[in-house]
Amino acid sequence: MKLAKRVSSLTPSTTLAITAKAKELKAAGHDVIGLGAGEPDFNTPQHIIDAAVRAMNEGHTKYTPSGGLASLKAEIVKKFQNDQQLHYEPAEIIVCVGAKHALYTLFQVILDEGDEVIIPTPYWVSYPEQVKLAGGVPVYVEGREENRFKITPEQLKAAITERTKAVIINSPSNPTGMIYTEDELRALGEICLAHDILIVSDEIYEKLVYDGNKHVSIAQLSPELKAQTVIINGVSKSHSMTGWRIGYAAGNKDIIRAMTDLASHSTSNPTSIAQYAAIAAYNGSQEPVEQMRQAFEERLNIIYEKLIQIPGFTCVKPQGAFYLFPNAREAASMAGYSSVDELVEALLEEAKVALVPGSGFGAPDNVRLSYATSLDVLEKAVERIKQFMEQKAK
């Protein structure tokens, strides 16, 4: 059977490949520490779990509207108003099967064959694949390490062509943890307005910011930018609900209507029980969210200082999310490897520490370490990497 052309160009997930190899070694009895996780290591808060149980017991186990429950949309409207002073109508919101599904559906309804989407590097691994699946063309713009992995207005302007349809802004970023400032967003936004380019603002890590930094949505900056922006968000990272698969998009009513129509022919609706859980996530106590944020902040500040002591590793300190993204090019050279990918493979095989090579994020000189695991485990992992490098660099 010949497969469709649309899947032949897909690049396998680097994260999943590393995770599979780590699991294989663990199954063989090796003590492997995996730092590839893209999800909080905390359980979903109890009041959210209780709400899901109540929903099941009350019979809320049937189909819902394709775009999500009206009651959940109402909570999302309140969330935008309270957190960012943004006003959305329910018709400007669609609830999806996770933020990834919201992005996928968005690209399906806005892109025609050959349309270009500007994607800053380093990027989350699914952005270019989703663009390609919609017939679009990813156009990469390098977020240089000396600029904290963020693109400049000049770089954005230079990448625009007559086929440019959208640009993705992910702040805080996966994999770098960097946050765009209000001034930086305003400068990028002015260019998007001048060229009528849709802004796809992925804000899934908005609650996980540290050391006094703050998240700003580009849609907050003016009514014109709000109209030009589709916000992607969800409860996966903020409320440790990755497996519940609830995300959403907010933006232009016509785009949201098209996304809803498409969803009606694909997923039918997000899981009913998970939607009731998400309602509880937003209208219940936010104390667990802050407790989790504080725990990540503590881990970051401790592990970052230990990481930059490892020979050959340099790192721009993240401001949000739960990843470190150190440059390991010198480390690879010191250890006798021709690439960072080879270093990552050796660390897994010999030191039994699983990292994710930056090549999967469009940054081959870097590696991604998730600190979404206990401090004890993190310290043990960093010590293993340090010992490995000290032995190799002799």
Side-chain angles (χ1 to χ4, degrees):
M1 171 66 72
K2 185 178 180 181
L3 296 176
K5 291 179 181 178
R6 73 176 66 89
V7 297
S8 64
S9 64
L10 290 179
T11 304
S13 168
T14 308
T15 310
L16 293 179
I18 288 292
T19 301
K21 180 64 175 176
K23 286 181 177 178
E24 182 183 314
L25 288 170
K26 279 186 177 181
H30 296 284
D31 177 22
V32 176
I33 299 175
L35 298 183
E39 59 183 349
D41 55 313
F42 302 89
N43 195 17
T44 303
Q46 190 59 47
H47 71 277
I48 298 174
I49 295 172
D50 292 343
V53 173
R54 279 198 305 275
M56 288 187 282
N57 288 332
E58 291 171 4
H60 299 303
T61 57
K62 309 297 182 184
Y63 291 127
T64 76
S66 291
L69 290 166
S71 50
L72 176 52
K73 287 189 179 186
E75 293 300 330
I76 295 170
V77 166
K78 290 178 191 174
K79 178 253 179 256
F80 276 119
Q81 187 65 51
N82 293 337
D83 288 357
Q84 295 154 318
Q85 295 74 57
L86 283 168
H87 176 70
Y88 286 98
E89 300 290 340
E92 297 174 304
I93 293 169
I94 177 176
V95 182
C96 297
V97 187
K100 182 182 284 190
H101 177 237
L103 282 163
Y104 177 87
T105 307
L106 172 63
F107 292 131
Q108 290 291 322
V109 304
I110 66 169
L111 297 180
D112 285 318
E113 197 73 29
D115 284 345
E116 296 174 352
V117 177
I118 295 173
I119 303 177
T121 67
Y123 49 74
W124 178 54
V125 294
S126 290
Y127 291 147
E129 308 310 318
Q130 291 189 348
V131 168
K132 288 187 286 186
L133 282 169
V137 179
V139 175
Y140 303 111
V141 176
E142 182 187 4
R144 298 190 181 98
E145 196 160 346
E146 58 266 29
N147 195 43
R148 304 185 68 85
F149 299 108
K150 294 182 280 189
I151 65 169
T152 65
E154 294 74 22
Q155 286 179 296
L156 174 60
K157 194 170 183 179
I160 295 171
T161 73
E162 61 181 15
R163 297 305 303 267
T164 304
K165 194 69 172 283
V167 60
I168 300 174
I169 296 175
N170 179 206
S171 176
S173 161
N174 173 9
T176 68
M178 296 305 149
I179 299 173
Y180 281 88
T181 67
E182 182 175 332
D183 288 343
E184 289 167 339
L185 290 172
R186 198 178 298 278
L188 295 174
E190 287 175 1
I191 293 170
C192 293
L193 289 173
H195 294 270
D196 193 26
I197 296 169
L198 184 71
I199 302 163
V200 180
S201 185
D202 184 347
E203 304 178 11
I204 194 71
Y205 291 97
E206 63 156 336
K207 295 294 184 181
L208 301 178
V209 295
Y210 317 116
D211 297 336
N213 289 288
K214 73 170 187 173
H215 166 263
V216 177
S217 172
I218 195 168
Q220 291 176 256
L221 303 184
S222 73
E224 293 78 17
L225 282 171
K226 176 176 178 284
Q228 197 77 10
T229 301
V230 175
I231 294 177
I232 305 293
N233 209 329
V235 292
S236 291
K237 316 295 184 179
S238 59
H239 293 79
S240 195
M241 294 177 66
T242 51
W244 298 80
R245 307 314 302 135
I246 294 293
Y248 51 87
N252 176 278
K253 193 177 297 185
D254 292 335
I255 293 176
I256 298 301
R257 183 185 302 113
M259 291 175 68
T260 304
D261 289 345
L262 179 57
S264 73
H265 292 293
S266 56
T267 56
S268 290
N269 60 265
T271 301
S272 60
I273 301 149
Q275 289 188 71
Y276 283 98
I279 291 170
Y282 279 144
N283 70 16
S285 171
Q286 301 305 301
E287 187 177 346
V289 177
E290 175 59 16
Q291 290 173 344
M292 185 168 64
R293 190 203 66 80
Q294 289 179 11
F296 285 137
E297 183 172 40
E298 178 189 19
R299 294 173 190 175
L300 167 62
N301 289 329
I302 292 172
I303 293 303
Y304 173 77
E305 294 299 330
K306 292 180 180 293
L307 180 70
I308 59 176
Q309 300 304 316
I310 299 175
F313 280 74
T314 59
C315 189
V316 180
K317 190 176 182 181
Q319 301 164 306
F322 41 67
Y323 309 106
L324 289 156
F325 200 61
N327 188 305
R329 167 57 66 182
E330 184 181 351
S333 179
M334 290 169 61
Y337 301 106
S338 61
S339 70
V340 172
D341 281 35
E342 287 184 5
L343 172 65
V344 169
E345 187 175 347
L347 281 168
L348 180 54
E349 293 284 355
E350 299 180 39
K352 302 299 184 290
V353 177
L355 310 179
V356 184
S359 55
F361 306 97
D365 289 347
N366 296 74
V367 295
R368 193 188 78 174
L369 295 76
S370 169
Y371 50 93
T373 190
S374 73
L375 191 54
D376 287 346
V377 170
L378 288 167
E379 290 180 323
K380 186 177 178 182
V382 171
E383 183 59 30
R384 286 187 186 183
I385 298 170
K386 184 179 180 182
Q387 289 177 0
F388 173 89
M389 284 304 304
E390 288 173 346
Q391 181 182 13
K392 292 286 184 179
K394 284 181 179 178

